[in-house]
């Protein structure tokens, strides 16, 4: 008997749910199972009949870019009753479904686990009542469940990110960026309310990404007297040169007495203490809507594929699992433990144990609160000495969105720690020429949401003859420590400096190296600053390409950047819904092309109107994007047309994504903490970003030893594990 899998979206909707549904349906079919959509969540399971329908391969075509959920969702009060759950079991067994993947929040997943535990008892009751046969009961003795968290609040323990959170941050930061422009023009204060009844993730991260001045979180209520402190912080910001003030408040924020802190309450405080009439913007459900981000597409896709594997491989005594992500890798944990840990946070808040509530969110959440407090203060927390030591910051290599946020956070963190901050202008050539200048708090104001690199950068690795001038520049400007931020050229430059430290004593200073590259081709750190923004640009371009082909039968070959690294074409292909992805790591063979062309022609002969292939710019010397487009069209013999889309340098431009801003914030702060520690202890180590260490920084050699210098990419590329995910979703000839 063919295995049948049910998939439902339940509770509140979240962007990226459709990506998960698509992955579950196609992976299930690929594995030989039948997949049924349970429309309208648990309410559809109770109603049965036409609410439980089988889905084919093409039924989930074209849904990746859609917000919400195409199979519907609802909150079901009836499912909370015993009779409702018994009826749901009867309808599932009638359809032969005993494997279920639920995409929803903690309420939906809690209810799903209760049903799983009660299944044997409910089955026995149904047999006794004559609603199902003993044979049906024998075929479906238990229910196997895998849960995916669909919630924009990022409020579930057990996964680093929930489906929809990244997209919601996109909506919020876009709004803050727009509000900042008008606020700056009029020297105004804006109060922005975001979602988050019990979780302050959106408020905290959007405040960091948007460069806001103040924020209020449910887990960390302000202490008595917060009104005066808030006014003081805003006044110091204005005195330091800010023309606008932005405050972010989570909808569930309250003071230590439990009294809600609303946007209106904050407005009243500002009116009473400053006389200013602050404007209020309540973003509301716009945070749930819109096109899912690239991250929510590829992450939800990878989790959907894993969820199918979990329910198909489940043993009779297997516990329900939660499928999520940890450090950008798919991760599973027990559903019960995740739900219970999540509920405990609400209990901590209710009992005013706020330290426990923050700690339960994880060390990273607490660290980001500390970083945020440092960023919005306009005065150092450490009194600088009469002759403070100097830390210089320098970009190097190709441009990457988020470089400005790296510089902004580094400068403010350094000032906060009591250092004099210098900027190298123009990258490595600027250091060679001695082009350094002192920068202050206001010099990096407004840089959080700007693309480009305000201090300049160049793709340049110094010649050996230029190392002397670099050393002289460091000595002449009294640089005591150096922070280098950039891509492959930055890593090659610092590697060269480290090797020449004996010859040039000026290089014997603490040095920290941070990854900023759209290619994501650097070891030690899973996502270089800029890579997520480039990925979103690719996915947005693919969405537009798809729309341009809606009126005709057309195939596209989309070429991305990435040089010798396949990160952008692979994840761009997954998030964009491509049928084929060609990577520099694997190249292209004639045999492979022959099979791909057969699948392409079959797709159009069986009713498809669009076909997408994505390839990296240096995938093949001979089989270029132009050659592929010509081959595809020649073999179609007029059945379809083929176009080539070269996305180009727009991948390096644009406003950095929230992910890249937050990523840059965490990296720059930890780098300055490391440099400060070295300067205080008298060491002069070279360190580089490394996600596997507590302080996120490791000895340079521990990182660069994992670089494939010849191919300009890491020796181990974590994203290549997602190749299997892509292959699961690639249509085979004759597949409907």
């Amino acid at each position: 008997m063919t295995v049948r899998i049910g998939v439902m979206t339940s509770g509140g909707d979240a962007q990226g749910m459709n990506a998960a549904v698509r992955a579950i349906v196609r992976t299930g079919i690929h594995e030989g199972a039948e997949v049924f959509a349970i429309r309208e969540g648990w309410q559809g399971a109770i109603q049965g009949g036409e609410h439980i329908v089988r889905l084919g391969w093409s039924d989930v075509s074209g849904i990746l870019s859609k917000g919400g959920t195409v199979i519907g969702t609802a909150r079901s009060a009836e499912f909370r009753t015993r009779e409702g759950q018994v009826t749901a079991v009867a309808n599932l067994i009638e359809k032969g479904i005993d494997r279920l993947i639920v995409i929803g929040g903690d309420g939906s997943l809690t209810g799903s686990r209760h049903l799983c535990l009660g299944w044997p008892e409910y089955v026995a009751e149904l047999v006794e009542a004559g609603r199902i046969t003993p044979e049906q009961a024998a075929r479906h003795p238990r229910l196997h469940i895998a849960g995916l968290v669909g919630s924009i609040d990022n409020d579930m323990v057990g996964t680093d990110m929930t489906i929809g959170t990244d997209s919601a941050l996109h909506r919020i930061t876009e709004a803050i960026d727009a509000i900042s422009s008008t606020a700056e023009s009029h020297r105004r204060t804006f109060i922005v309310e975001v979602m988050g009844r019990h979780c302050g993730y959106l408020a905290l991260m959007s405040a960091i990404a948007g460069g806001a001045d103040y924020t209020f979180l449910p887990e960390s209520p302000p202490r008595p007297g917060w009104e005066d402190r808030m006014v003081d912080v805003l006044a110091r910001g204005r005195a330091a040169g800010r023309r606008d003030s932005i405050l972010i408040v989570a909808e569930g924020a309250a003071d230590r007495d439990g009294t809600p802190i609303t946007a209106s309450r904050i407005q009243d405080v500002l009116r009473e203490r400053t006389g200013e009439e602050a404007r209020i913007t309540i973003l509301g459900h716009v945070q749930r809507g819109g096109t899912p981000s690239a991250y929510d597409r590829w992450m939800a896709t990878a989790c959907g594929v894993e969820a199918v594997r979990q329910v198909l491989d489940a043993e009779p005594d297997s516990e329900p699992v939660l499928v999520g992500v940890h450090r950008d890798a798919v991760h599973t944990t027990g559903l019960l433990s995740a739900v219970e840990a999540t509920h405990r946070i609400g209990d901590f808040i209710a009992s005013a144990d706020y330290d426990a509530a923050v700690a339960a969110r994880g060390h990273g959440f607490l660290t980001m609160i500390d970083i945020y407090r440092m960023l919005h203060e306009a005065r150092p927390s450490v009194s600088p000495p009469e002759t403070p030591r100097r830390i210089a910051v320098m970009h190097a290599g190709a441009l990457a969105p988020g470089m400005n946020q790296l510089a902004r956070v580094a400068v403010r963190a350094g000032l906060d720690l009591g250092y004099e901050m210098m900027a190298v202008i123009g990258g490595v050539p600027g250091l060679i020429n001695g082009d350094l200048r002192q920068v202050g708090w206001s010099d990096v104001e407004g840089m959080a949401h700007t693309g480009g690199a305000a201090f300049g950068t160049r793709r340049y690795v110094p010649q050996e003859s230029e190392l002397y001038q670099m050393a002289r520049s460091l000595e002449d400007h009294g640089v005591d420590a150096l922070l280098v931020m950039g891509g492959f050229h930055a890593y090659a430059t610092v590697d060269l400096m480290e090797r020449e430290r004996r010859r040039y004593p000026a290089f014997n200073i603490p040095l920290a190296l941070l990854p900023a590259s759209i290619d994501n081709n650097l070891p030690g750190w899973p996502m270089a600053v800029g890579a997520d923004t480039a990925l979103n640009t690719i996915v947005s371009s693919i969405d537009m390409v798809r729309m341009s082909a809606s009126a005709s039968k057309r195939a596209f070959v989309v070429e991305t950047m990435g040089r010798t690294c396949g990160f952008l074409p692979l994840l761009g292909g997954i998030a964009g819904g491509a049928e084929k992805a060609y990577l520099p790591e694997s190249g292209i063979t004639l045999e492979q092309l022959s099979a791909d062309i057969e699948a392409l022609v079959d797709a159009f002969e069986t009713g498809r109107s669009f076909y997408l292939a994505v390839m990296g710019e240096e995938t093949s010397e001979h089989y270029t994007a132009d050659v592929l487009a010509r081959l595809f069209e020649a073999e179609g013999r007029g059945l379809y047309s083929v176009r080539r889309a070269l996305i180009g340098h727009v991948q390096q431009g644009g406003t950095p994504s929230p992910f890249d801003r937050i990523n840059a914030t965490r990296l720059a702060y930890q780098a300055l903490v490391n440099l400060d520690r070295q300067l205080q202890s008298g060491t002069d180590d070279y360190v580089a970003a490394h996600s596997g260490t507590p302080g996120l920084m490791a000895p340079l050699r521990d990182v660069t030893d994992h670089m494939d210098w010849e191919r300009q990419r890491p020796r181990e590329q974590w994203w290549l594990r997602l190749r299997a995910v892509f292959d699961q979703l690639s249509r085979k000839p004759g597949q409907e």
Side-chain angles (χ1 to χ4, degrees):
M1 182 178 175
T2 303
V3 173
R4 293 185 170 185
I5 300 171
V7 56
M8 70 164 65
T9 50
S10 181
D13 65 307
Q15 309 97 317
M17 281 183 164
N18 285 329
V21 170
R22 174 180 177 271
I24 291 163
V25 171
R26 293 192 168 178
T27 303
I29 293 172
H30 189 278
E31 295 297 322
E34 294 178 353
V35 184
F36 286 74
I38 302 169
R39 301 189 182 278
E40 316 307 333
W42 280 116
Q43 190 59 39
I46 293 170
Q47 292 179 251
E50 63 183 13
H51 286 83
I52 305 178
V53 296
R54 184 180 175 185
L55 296 180
W57 190 274
S58 60
D59 291 324
V60 291
S61 294
I63 68 172
L64 263 176
S65 60
K66 293 182 178 179
T69 164
V70 296
I71 62 175
T73 184
R75 303 184 191 275
S76 175
E78 190 177 356
F79 182 67
R80 298 190 183 99
T81 68
R82 179 183 179 85
E83 181 55 36
Q85 293 196 9
V86 170
T87 301
V89 171
N91 288 328
L92 291 174
I93 289 178
E94 181 184 348
K95 293 289 187 178
I97 298 170
D98 57 11
R99 286 167 171 79
L100 190 61
I101 300 173
V102 181
I103 310 165
D106 69 324
S108 299
L109 297 176
T110 300
S112 302
R113 184 181 178 278
H114 288 329
L115 184 75
C116 184
L117 293 176
W119 181 277
E121 183 181 339
Y122 296 158
V123 168
E125 183 178 324
L126 289 167
V127 172
E128 185 176 349
R131 295 172 67 179
I132 65 172
T133 67
E135 291 75 20
Q136 287 177 307
R139 285 196 297 269
H140 308 289
R142 57 190 52 82
L143 176 67
H144 297 293
I145 286 183
L148 277 67
V149 190
S151 168
I152 68 167
D153 294 337
N154 201 31
D155 54 356
M156 178 68 83
V157 175
T159 180
D160 290 349
M161 288 284 278
T162 59
I163 296 171
T165 300
D166 188 66
S167 299
L169 279 173
H170 274 257
R171 301 293 94 76
I172 296 168
T173 52
E174 286 164 5
I176 293 173
D177 290 351
I179 287 169
S180 294
S181 299
T182 186
E184 187 175 350
S185 298
H186 297 278
R187 293 182 64 89
R188 281 182 179 154
T189 297
F190 273 81
I191 305 163
V192 180
E193 182 186 294
V194 302
M195 287 185 170
R197 189 170 294 111
H198 301 296
C199 181
Y201 185 89
L202 289 178
L204 176 62
M205 297 305 174
S206 62
I208 289 172
D213 298 81
Y214 216 84
T215 189
F216 296 90
L217 315 176
E219 301 93 335
S220 183
R223 298 184 183 279
W226 62 268
E227 298 92 342
D228 292 330
R229 284 196 300 276
M230 175 184 70
V231 170
D232 182 51
V233 167
L234 297 183
R236 291 203 305 269
R238 291 292 178 90
R242 288 205 68 156
R243 288 183 55 85
D244 65 310
S245 299
I246 306 293
L247 298 92
I248 310 295
V249 55
E251 61 180 337
D255 60 24
R256 300 252 161 175
D257 295 325
T259 305
I261 297 179
T262 63
S264 297
R265 183 179 175 187
I266 298 169
Q267 184 186 48
D268 291 341
V269 169
L270 292 174
R271 185 189 300 115
E272 292 168 4
R273 283 168 166 74
T274 69
E276 183 177 4
E277 190 67 33
R279 287 359 187 224
I280 293 175
T281 298
I282 299 176
L283 294 181
H285 282 75
V286 70
Q287 296 160 85
R288 289 190 185 277
T291 301
S293 67
Y295 180 85
D296 273 328
R297 298 191 202 189
W298 73 255
M299 182 267 286
T301 297
C303 288
V305 171
E306 177 61 21
V308 172
R309 192 185 72 80
Q310 288 290 328
V311 296
L312 290 179
D313 293 348
E315 299 292 336
D317 58 348
S318 295
E319 280 285 318
V321 297
L322 177 74
V323 181
V325 289
H326 181 58
R327 293 182 178 175
D328 296 306
V330 176
H331 173 77
T332 61
T333 189
L335 183 58
L336 172 62
S337 60
V339 169
E340 288 181 342
T342 301
H343 288 169
R344 278 198 295 273
I345 297 176
D347 295 338
F348 290 144
I349 295 173
S351 63
D353 191 350
Y354 304 118
D355 290 341
V358 171
R361 292 288 181 207
H363 177 72
F365 189 80
L366 177 60
T367 300
M368 294 306 284
I369 290 178
D370 292 339
I371 294 173
Y372 170 73
R373 288 170 178 161
M374 174 273 297
L375 285 176
H376 77 243
E377 292 283 348
R379 62 186 179 195
S381 58
V382 175
S383 298
E386 289 186 12
T387 55
R389 286 185 282 189
R390 288 181 167 182
I391 298 177
V393 298
M394 179 179 76
H395 296 306
L399 183 67
M403 279 184 160
N404 278 337
Q405 178 71 337
L406 279 169
R408 170 181 176 267
V409 176
V411 168
R412 290 196 169 176
L415 293 172
D416 185 69
L417 291 168
Y419 293 99
E420 214 170 70
M421 298 303 295
M422 306 288 292
V424 179
I425 308 302
V428 173
L431 183 58
I432 294 170
N433 297 326
D435 192 359
L436 285 79
R437 65 179 173 88
Q438 187 174 345
V439 288
W441 189 273
S442 60
D443 292 312
V444 294
E445 180 59 43
M447 285 170 54
H449 54 263
T450 58
F455 296 153
T457 188
R458 285 273 302 277
R459 283 181 176 170
Y460 193 86
V461 178
Q463 302 294 315
E464 188 173 336
S465 59
E466 295 170 316
L467 295 177
Y468 172 75
Q469 281 303 120
M470 290 172 61
R472 280 295 303 270
S473 293
L474 293 173
E475 288 178 340
D476 291 346
H477 289 87
V479 175
D480 298 291
L482 180 63
L483 173 62
V484 181
M485 307 163 285
F488 177 82
H489 295 80
Y491 278 61
T493 297
V494 172
D495 180 77
L496 180 60
M497 291 174 65
E498 198 273 342
R499 295 178 187 279
E500 296 293 340
R501 294 179 77 180
R502 290 184 180 179
R503 294 177 58 193
Y504 302 101
F507 291 165
N508 292 312
I509 57 175
L511 185 149
L513 177 60
L514 299 180
S517 165
I518 68 165
D519 300 337
N520 202 31
N521 60 340
L522 305 167
W525 196 256
M527 289 281 282
V529 173
D532 183 70
T533 303
L535 199 56
N536 276 282
T537 299
I538 292 167
V539 171
S540 177
S541 300
I542 288 174
D543 287 349
M544 288 187 280
V545 160
R546 191 181 295 274
M547 284 188 282
S548 77
S550 60
S552 60
K553 288 192 170 186
R554 183 165 291 172
F556 270 89
V557 179
V558 173
E559 182 181 301
T560 73
M561 283 184 164
R563 295 182 176 268
T564 58
C565 180
F567 172 83
L568 290 178
L570 179 57
L571 270 73
I574 291 173
E579 280 77 15
K580 297 296 172 186
Y582 300 105
L583 315 180
E585 290 86 349
S586 52
I588 304 176
T589 66
L590 186 58
E591 181 182 8
Q592 178 187 7
L593 274 179
S594 178
D596 292 347
I597 290 171
E598 179 187 355
L600 166 64
V601 174
D602 178 79
F604 282 101
E605 287 179 341
T606 54
R608 290 290 298 277
S609 60
F610 179 77
Y611 191 94
L612 174 66
V614 180
M615 69 181 299
E617 59 185 341
E618 293 187 15
T619 295
S620 172
E621 179 184 357
H622 304 291
Y623 297 118
T624 62
D626 185 58
V627 170
L628 260 63
R630 291 173 182 272
L631 282 173
F632 288 174
E633 185 146 24
E635 294 301 316
R637 296 179 175 84
L639 180 61
Y640 52 84
S641 61
V642 182
R643 296 291 185 270
R644 174 183 172 228
L646 174 63
I647 301 178
H649 282 78
V650 295
Q651 294 161 86
Q652 289 183 308
T655 302
S657 69
F659 185 99
D660 276 330
R661 302 186 203 186
I662 295 164
N663 193 19
T665 299
R666 181 183 293 110
L667 281 167
Y669 176 80
Q670 294 292 355
L672 262 293
V673 167
N674 182 280
L675 292 177
D676 174 60
R677 187 182 300 119
Q678 290 201 58
L679 288 168
Q680 297 299 329
S681 63
T683 57
D684 55 7
D685 298 328
Y686 279 31
V687 297
H690 192 283
S691 62
T693 56
L696 305 185
M697 306 297 294
L700 178 71
R701 285 279 156 247
D702 290 354
V703 176
T704 55
D705 282 350
H706 295 280
M707 172 76 85
D708 184 337
W709 293 103
E710 182 181 352
R711 295 180 175 84
Q712 298 189 17
R713 64 191 186 212
R715 298 187 189 280
E716 182 179 348
Q717 298 161 277
W718 65 266
W719 56 86
L720 289 181
R721 296 194 298 266
L722 295 173
R723 179 82 231 196
V725 170
F726 186 94
D727 292 341
Q728 286 272 8
L729 305 178
S730 297
R731 180 185 177 278
K732 304 299 185 292
Q735 209 159 36
E736 295 297 332

